C-alpha cells in the first residue's frame, strides 16, 4: 500500500488555461493517477503584489500559496518563457517562498520539484527550464532528473487535457512519476527515522 503524497503545482500565466497551466495540469493529472493528492495554483491565483520582504505574506493569496507549498511532499513548477526566462508572475510567486526560510522544511527542502517551461520557440523553452531548475536548487529543492521544455508552436494541448504531441505528453507523465516516486521515498524515510 502506497503512502498518499501531496503534489502541488504552481504556474501558468495571468490567462486562465494558458499553455503553462495546461502542461501543469497534465503533470498533476498523471500524479493523481499514480495515487497522489494534487493541488493546482494557477496563474490567476498568482496575481499578487511584488514580494517585499518587509511586508511578508500580506495577502490571502500569498498565504494560501505558502501554506500549500509548506504542506507539499512534491512540487511542479511551470512557467512561460518571457524574454528568455521565468515570467515575472511566476518568479514573484517563487520570491514569496522566502517566507518559508524558517519552516520545519525550509523553502523546498527535502522535496522533488518537476520543472516545465513553455515557449513559442526552443531557445526560450530551454533557457527558461534551466532557470526554473536553478531557482529550485537555490530553494534547496531537488529538480527531477527529467524536466520539460515545450515549444507550443510544435506541441499543442487538446481541450481533453492532453498534449497532442505524444512525446511531450510522455515527458510530462514521466515528470509526474518521478515527483511521486521521490516524494514517497522521502515520506517513508522521514517516517522510519522518527
Ligand atoms: C512578454 C512576453 C515575452 C515572451 N518571450 C518569449 C521568449 O523569449 N521566447 C519564446 O519562445 N516565447 C516568448 N514568449 C511567448 C510565450 O512564451 C508563449 O506565448 C507562451 O509560452 C504561450 O503562453 P500562453 O498559452 O499563455 O499564450 C513571450 C511572450 C510574452 C507575452
Amino acid at each position: 500500500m502506497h503512502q498518499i503524497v501531496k503534489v502541488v503545482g504552481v504556474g501558468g500565466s495571468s490567462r486562465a488555461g494558458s499553455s503553462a497551466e495546461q502542461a501543469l495540469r497534465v503533470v498533476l493529472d498523471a500524479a493523481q493517477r499514480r495515487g497522489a493528492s494534487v493541488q493546482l495554483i494557477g496563474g490567476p491565483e498568482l496575481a499578487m503584489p511584488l514580494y517585499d520582504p518587509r511586508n511578508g505574506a500580506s495577502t490571502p493569496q500569498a498565504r494560501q500559496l505558502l501554506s500549500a507549498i509548506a504542506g507539499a511532499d512534491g512540487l511542479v513548477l511551470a512557467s512561460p518563457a518571457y524574454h528568455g526566462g521565468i515570467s515575472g508572475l511566476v518568479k514573484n510567486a517563487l520570491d514569496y517562498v522566502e517566507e518559508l526560510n524558517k519552516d520545519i522544511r525550509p523553502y523546498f527542502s527535502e522535496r522533488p520539484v518537476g520543472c516545465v517551461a513553455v515557449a513559442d520557440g526552443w531557445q526560450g523553452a530551454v533557457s527558461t527550464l534551466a532557470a526554473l531548475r536553478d531557482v529550485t536548487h537555490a530553494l534547496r529543492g531537488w529538480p527531477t532528473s527529467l524536466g520539460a521544455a515545450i515549444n507550443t508552436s510544435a506541441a499543442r494541448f487538446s481541450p481533453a487535457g492532453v498534449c497532442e504531441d505524444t512525446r511531450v505528453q510522455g515527458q510530462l507523465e514521466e515528470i509526474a512519476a518521478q515527483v511521486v516516486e521521490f516524494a514517497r521515498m522521502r515520506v517513508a524515510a522521514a517516517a522510519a527515522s522518527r
Side-chain angles (χ1 to χ4, degrees):
M1 186 67 180
H2 284 305
Q3 175 87 32
I4 295 185
V5 293
K6 180 177 177 191
V7 177
V8 172
V10 177
S13 74
S14 46
R15 184 171 74 79
S18 64
S19 313
E21 195 172 307
Q22 286 178 297
L24 191 52
R25 225 173 262 284
V26 171
V27 180
L28 292 183
D29 286 351
Q32 196 167 36
R33 285 196 298 277
R34 289 180 170 271
S37 77
V38 299
Q39 180 180 0
L40 185 145
I41 302 184
E45 293 163 87
L46 299 177
M48 301 181 292
L50 266 187
Y51 175 62
D52 181 338
R54 293 168 302 178
N55 298 339
S58 54
T59 63
Q61 289 108 303
R63 287 191 286 276
Q64 192 209 2
L65 172 74
L66 294 174
S67 143
I69 291 173
D73 301 305
L75 292 147
V76 185
L77 307 177
S79 176
Y82 275 12
H83 305 150
I86 301 171
S87 70
L89 186 85
V90 174
K91 183 60 172 64
N92 187 44
L94 294 171
D95 290 346
Y96 271 90
V97 178
E98 183 58 26
E99 293 300 308
L100 297 177
N101 64 358
K102 298 204 168 47
D103 205 58
I104 189 161
R105 295 177 300 177
Y107 307 110
F108 291 167
S109 54
E110 302 178 30
R111 270 121 351 128
V113 183
C115 296
V116 178
V118 168
D120 214 12
W122 290 116
Q123 185 168 294
V126 170
S127 57
T128 302
L129 174 60
L132 284 169
R133 293 164 71 93
D134 283 349
V135 170
T136 296
H137 279 140
L139 291 172
R140 305 187 200 170
W142 296 75
T144 53
S145 55
L146 184 67
I150 303 174
N151 177 349
T152 53
S153 65
R156 301 201 175 281
F157 292 86
S158 77
V162 294
C163 185
E164 288 166 2
D165 181 323
T166 52
R167 285 197 67 215
V168 172
Q169 176 73 21
Q171 284 170 0
L172 295 172
E173 290 176 0
E174 175 59 22
I175 290 170
Q178 292 182 1
V179 169
V180 172
E181 187 185 357
F182 187 116
R184 280 193 183 125
M185 287 191 293
R186 286 298 317 197
V187 167
S193 68
R194 277 201 290 268

